[in-house]
Amino acid sequence: MFAVYATHAALDDPLSALKVGERPDPDVPEGWVRVKVSHASLNRHDLFTLRGLSGHPEGICYPIILGNDAAGTLDDGTPVVVYPVMGGTDWRGDETLDPQWHIPSEFVDGTFADYTIVPRRNAIPLPGTLSPLHASVLGTAWLTAYRALFTRSGLRAGETLLVQGATGGMATALIQLGRAAGFEVWVTSRSEEGRARARALGAHESFPANEALPRRARAVIDSIGLDSWAHGLSSLARGGTPVTVGGTTGFEVPLNLLPVVADQLTITGSIMGTLKDMEDMMRLIARAGVEPEIGAVLPMERAEEGFRAMWEGRTHGKTVFTR
Ligand SMILES: NC(=O)c1ccc[n+]([C@@H]2O[C@H](COP(=O)([O-])OP(=O)(O)OC[C@H]3O[C@@H](n4cnc5c(N)ncnc54)[C@H](OP(=O)(O)O)[C@@H]3O)[C@@H](O)[C@H]2O)c1
């Protein structure tokens, strides 16, 4: 079948490991289903896979088909969206706490292909309120944004949320969901274009990256890491919550414990979300009339253009590949 895959790890030149071509059709294990992919969205995780960066100590087994997220149809024609978090068959409860959890393109082939396979429970029937295009962006960045906001940040409606970064898939999801939830949404961006886009999407205020803010926020959600972490900590009100969901510019950050102690900050990590989080988010999006921001739609054959734009920092919102 047609697929977009990583041939090897290429830390400094990830596009050299990107291949668009043929891969074997997947076998479908008992209890799994095959999804004919119509839409699949790009995540920075796909660049990490090309670079050989993995959160799992086992590492990545190449070649591997890329892609975490997808929408498409089952063999019986049912339209579905993929919930990406898979794990041990015996695990019960919060999927993100399962020691064996993983997402497509880590231990099993990913979604940038004619077909992808997932455990049956991971194929969520698509409600009529959601198009496959918009559903295809929800699995990773949007799900993570939802959990960070509603489970991990402790924010209540009316309180101030600071989102670090404005243009990315995660940042745009945080802006749109935060606005729908009634938070005051503040954003930072490296560019005036990013700040203007954030305001157009619903941010109440936008500021240049690392600039001092007029007052302090109740929570900061940060996916940038090294370049923004210190600014986020210094932007928090007493009792506030810095939530880290990623480290695009590096995971190793300087940490001054004094404000953590004196301001009683609760440093919090957040990753992906539960199946229930995903279903709740789909309901919220439908009821609040949120349409996820999509910056580019490309036929999957032209995936390299989308990867290159992300590597060079030229994307905004989500990039979706169609089949
Ligand atoms: N915890 C989880 O489960 C989870 C899930 C999804 C993603 N993530 C992580 O979240 C991060 C963002 O993912 P994404 O898919 O949203 O990526 P993306 O679309 O490429 O967005 C990158 C974001 O980082 C900001 N940024 C600041 N400095 C940057 C720099 N030097 N280079 C590139 N970007 C910079 C950009 O903001 P401006 O351009 O506005 O400054 C933009 O908002 C990644 O580290 C990813 O691994 C984590």
Side-chain angles (χ1 to χ4, degrees), residues 127-142:
T129 47
L130 199 54
S131 71
L133 172 71
H134 291 114
S136 73
V137 309
L138 298 181
T140 298
W142 273 72

Side-chain angles (χ1 to χ4, degrees), residues 44 48 144 166-170 189-190 223 245 248-249 270-272:
R44 192 156 278 265
F48 290 165
T144 303
T167 58
M170 170 84 71
S189 177
R190 294 164 298 167
S223 64
V245 292
T248 298
T249 60
S270 194
I271 197 153
M272 301 302 290

Side-chain angles (χ1 to χ4, degrees), residues 186-228:
W186 287 5
V187 176
T188 64
S189 177
R190 294 164 298 167
S191 68
E192 177 45 42
E193 188 192 345
R195 295 190 286 278
R197 281 188 189 283
R199 291 192 299 274
L201 257 190
H204 295 90
E205 299 280 356
S206 61
F207 304 93
N210 290 319
E211 185 176 283
L213 305 182
R215 62 180 159 77
R216 291 173 178 236
R218 174 56 44 193
V220 177
I221 302 188
D222 184 287
S223 64
I224 298 170
L226 180 61
D227 285 3
S228 58

Side-chain angles (χ1 to χ4, degrees), residues 63-321:
I64 189 136
I65 297 174
L66 294 157
N68 313 142
D69 299 337
T73 47
L74 300 180
D75 287 344
D76 67 5
T78 307
V80 293
V81 56
V82 168
Y83 165 63
V85 182
M86 302 174 268
T89 46
D90 296 337
W91 182 261
R92 297 289 175 271
D94 185 328
E95 291 89 341
T96 65
L97 301 180
D98 177 354
Q100 294 185 53
W101 81 260
H102 59 101
I103 61 177
S105 81
E106 292 186 330
F107 304 142
V108 298
D109 273 327
T111 58
F112 295 167
D114 285 332
Y115 293 97
T116 192
I117 55 165
V118 289
R120 186 176 303 281
R121 76 188 291 270
N122 290 64
I124 306 175
L126 206 57
T129 47
L130 199 54
S131 71
L133 172 71
H134 291 114
S136 73
V137 309
L138 298 181
T140 298
W142 273 72
L143 178 61
T144 303
Y146 182 89
R147 180 181 175 88
L149 281 173
F150 299 115
T151 307
R152 308 293 286 163
S153 77
L155 277 167
R156 296 162 64 97
E159 294 183 331
T160 304
L161 160 71
L162 175 64
V163 179
Q164 298 283 39
T167 58
M170 170 84 71
T172 49
L174 287 165
I175 294 165
Q176 291 187 270
L177 289 171
R179 180 76 196 216
F183 304 138
E184 182 184 40
V185 181
W186 287 5
V187 176
T188 64
S189 177
R190 294 164 298 167
S191 68
E192 177 45 42
E193 188 192 345
R195 295 190 286 278
R197 281 188 189 283
R199 291 192 299 274
L201 257 190
H204 295 90
E205 299 280 356
S206 61
F207 304 93
N210 290 319
E211 185 176 283
L213 305 182
R215 62 180 159 77
R216 291 173 178 236
R218 174 56 44 193
V220 177
I221 302 188
D222 184 287
S223 64
I224 298 170
L226 180 61
D227 285 3
S228 58
W229 181 252
H231 172 263
L233 272 200
S234 67
S235 303
L236 278 163
R238 292 217 152 133
T241 308
V243 184
T244 172
V245 292
T248 298
T249 60
F251 282 94
E252 292 193 19
V253 299
L255 179 59
N256 178 357
L257 289 175
L258 186 57
V260 178
V261 174
D263 293 336
Q264 301 186 68
L265 307 180
T266 305
I267 298 176
T268 301
S270 194
I271 197 153
M272 301 302 290
T274 63
L275 178 60
K276 183 168 186 316
D277 287 332
M278 178 110 174
E279 291 168 341
D280 288 348
M281 175 177 63
M282 288 165 63
R283 274 189 288 275
L284 170 65
I285 286 171
R287 286 184 186 142
V290 174
E291 196 166 273
E293 174 75 351
I294 292 172
V297 180
L298 292 167
M300 207 176 277
E301 293 87 340
R302 289 170 51 196
E304 201 259 0
E305 289 172 43
F307 275 87
R308 184 172 296 284
M310 182 172 273
W311 180 234
E312 293 173 357
R314 291 186 282 106
T315 53
H316 71 93
K318 296 294 294 180
T319 299
V320 177
F321 301 134

